[in-house]
Amino acid sequence: MIKSPEKLADTTIQFSAPVRANSPELQQLFDFIALGASERDRDRILPYNVVELIRRSRLGALRIPVAEGGGGSTARELFEVVIRLGDADPNVAHIVRNHFSVTERILRSERTQRNRRWLKAVVDGAIIGLASTELEVKRSGGGQVANTKLTPDGDGYRLNGTKYYSTGSLYADLIFVRVLVPDGTKAFILIPTNREVIDLVDDWDGFGQRLTGTGTTTFKNVRVEADEVIFETDTDKDNLPYNIVPQLFLTAINAGIIRSVLRDATNLIRTRPRTFYHAVSEQASDDPILQQTVGQIAANAFAAEAIVLAAADGLDRLPAAQAQGEEAETAAALATSLSAAKAKLIVDDLALRSATLLFEVGGASTTKKSSNFDRHWRNARTLSSHNPNHFKARAIGDYEINGTPLPQRGFF
């Protein structure tokens, strides 16, 4: 059962505009988010209050250049922030995943009037959601559209159709939608979520990432203006062949989960009042077996973060490659997508193993529902399942053996 949304909690955090990657206000925000993360997950309390604080902080403008009013962060700095946010609450981190993916698309594109308008909305605090997937399409992730269509309406259009897995859109101000246009080709639109009649339903019932608003979105004769449609042929459309940010984003959240597991494991041992009669030490904190277990989790957290940031460095190299021409940009994008795919295989495994090791630290008492320690495994497993690893590994292997480029659709 879904509990009522929280009221905006009182907080003394005063945000600069917008918050920067290494600012003390950002750490205060993450500390606040972490305080209620377990309770929200356990009781399914939708984090509207947290998203409102993120909106006020203008965290979503982190990658927009300072000259355009944003935080001016590099891709590496963005993913450092994602790991920290995943540590605080992986649900909240997942909510803003599509926001940063869409913002990155706009940043890579020509600065037309509408792109400047959309970036200005983000600088002012707007959060972007996504509606792309249709269950009627037999192959997921390939960018196909079956029933979400635009029809002409005067100098604009009307939109009708249904999307699923609309992560983050429940909390968003704008929504990025893949559609069919009248000539049968595909396009994207970016429109406000409060426009009549858009119905956002929180019907995601997965055992993990339960608060992300990954539900159904229905459009019923929704008005769409002409300049809100991004056609395949538009000069201000992002044409990068690989969509790297949303994939690496999930991996970064899993790296953050390992950090959270490490903190819980350490606190469990420090506060554990008793141990087993056959343990080698009277105090749990002095037990070499438990020390070894926490040491392994700590090493996993270090490795996961290093791997994610190494892949993120490839994103920072893309602008220079773009300046050298299409061939250089495509090669750099392929290399970065390959790094992100490899990172997923390793970090997902580290996250799931670390979440399991937590139960070795505390024993049966750690399985109590009130402790909610199982959320780490549930959330990591759900994130890992978005793009099954065996398909990723096969594509990597085909590239290494035969030189076959990675697929250029939604999962790479």
Side-chain angles (χ1 to χ4, degrees):
M1 180 178 180
I2 305 172
K3 287 199 171 185
S4 300
E6 296 172 282
K7 294 181 179 179
L8 183 62
D10 292 333
T11 175
T12 59
I13 306 173
Q14 299 297 317
F15 297 111
S16 56
V19 71
R20 300 291 182 90
N22 296 312
S23 67
E25 296 91 351
L26 185 59
Q27 188 55 53
Q28 291 174 36
L29 173 62
F30 289 168
D31 289 344
F32 175 82
I33 292 172
L35 282 176
S38 178
E39 179 186 5
R40 287 192 298 269
D41 181 279
R42 186 189 66 222
D43 298 336
R44 200 155 192 248
I45 302 170
L46 299 177
Y48 284 102
N49 69 332
V50 168
V51 176
E52 177 58 27
L53 284 176
I54 289 174
R55 189 177 282 110
R56 290 184 187 181
S57 75
R58 307 190 210 183
L59 177 65
L62 201 63
R63 283 279 285 149
I64 297 175
V66 173
E68 297 178 67
S73 293
T74 64
R76 183 185 180 91
E77 289 171 333
L78 167 63
F79 280 94
E80 288 173 342
V81 167
V82 176
I83 292 169
R84 291 164 60 193
L85 184 54
D87 176 5
D89 188 334
N91 281 283
V92 175
H94 199 175
I95 286 168
V96 297
R97 171 204 181 207
N98 289 321
H99 169 91
F100 282 104
S101 176
V102 175
T103 301
E104 201 73 15
R105 285 172 176 258
I106 299 171
L107 286 171
R108 285 196 301 260
S109 306
E110 179 187 346
R111 290 297 198 276
T112 56
Q113 182 177 357
R114 66 177 177 183
N115 279 346
R116 286 194 294 269
R117 182 179 76 240
W118 287 329
L119 291 178
K120 177 62 166 55
V122 172
V123 168
D124 290 342
I127 294 174
I128 303 173
L130 176 71
S132 180
T133 300
E134 297 181 6
L135 296 185
E136 295 80 5
V137 174
K138 299 304 180 185
R139 293 192 173 212
S140 65
Q144 299 303 308
V145 182
N147 69 21
T148 312
K149 302 176 181 179
L150 292 179
T151 55
D153 179 42
D155 58 354
Y157 302 90
R158 293 286 172 176
L159 172 65
N160 288 277
T162 301
K163 298 289 190 180
Y164 302 89
Y165 307 126
S166 309
T167 303
S169 298
L170 190 69
Y171 310 93
D173 305 287
L174 298 166
I175 188 168
F176 194 62
V177 190
R178 190 188 297 271
V179 299
L180 279 177
V181 293
D183 66 1
T185 60
K186 290 171 289 187
F188 282 101
I189 64 171
L190 185 55
I191 59 176
T193 54
N194 62 0
R195 187 168 292 176
E196 298 182 357
V197 178
I198 299 175
D199 189 21
L200 300 165
V201 181
D202 180 39
D203 55 2
W204 167 244
D205 65 350
F207 63 66
Q209 296 298 103
R210 302 192 304 155
L211 310 179
T212 58
T214 306
T216 302
T217 304
T218 303
F219 305 94
K220 298 177 182 178
N221 212 32
V222 177
R223 173 69 181 180
V224 177
E225 305 301 334
D227 71 344
E228 294 173 330
V229 184
I230 308 167
F231 294 96
E232 291 287 340
T233 55
D234 285 350
T235 59
D236 62 348
K237 176 185 178 294
D238 170 43
N239 291 307
L240 192 72
Y242 294 98
N243 196 13
I244 302 156
V245 169
Q247 311 315 315
L248 190 58
F249 211 98
L250 296 181
T251 305
I253 299 172
N254 263 344
I257 287 175
I258 305 175
R259 288 175 52 159
S260 186
V261 169
L262 175 61
R263 184 172 57 254
D264 280 345
T266 302
N267 289 337
L268 266 174
I269 292 176
R270 286 174 177 167
T271 59
R272 190 169 172 177
R274 61 178 188 155
T275 189
F276 291 99
Y277 76 92
H278 54 286
V280 298
S281 302
E282 290 290 330
Q283 296 292 326
S285 58
D286 296 327
D287 192 316
I289 295 175
L290 299 181
Q291 291 171 351
Q292 185 274 338
T293 303
V294 170
Q296 184 62 62
I297 297 172
N300 292 350
F302 170 79
E305 183 167 347
I307 291 168
V308 168
L309 297 182
D313 286 339
L315 290 166
D316 282 324
R317 291 190 286 268
L318 287 179
Q322 184 180 33
Q324 297 173 27
E326 184 178 346
E327 184 176 347
E329 182 184 23
T330 299
L334 171 59
T336 306
S337 180
L338 188 64
S339 295
K342 292 175 180 177
K344 171 182 166 53
L345 295 185
I346 302 303
V347 174
D348 285 357
D349 181 58
L350 293 176
L352 293 169
R353 280 198 280 157
S354 298
T356 297
L357 285 174
L358 177 59
F359 296 97
E360 301 297 335
V361 167
S365 61
T366 57
T367 67
K368 294 171 62 177
K369 187 176 180 180
S370 58
S371 298
N372 198 32
F373 289 133
D374 65 303
R375 75 185 187 280
H376 298 305
W377 188 91
R378 289 188 289 100
N379 290 329
R381 180 65 269 178
T382 302
L383 290 164
S384 302
S385 299
H386 274 68
N387 310 314
N389 279 343
H390 45 238
F391 286 112
K392 283 279 190 182
R394 188 215 63 81
I396 296 169
D398 194 14
Y399 171 82
E400 297 291 347
I401 297 168
N402 301 311
T404 306
L406 298 178
Q408 295 185 1
R409 294 294 183 181
F411 296 140
F412 288 91

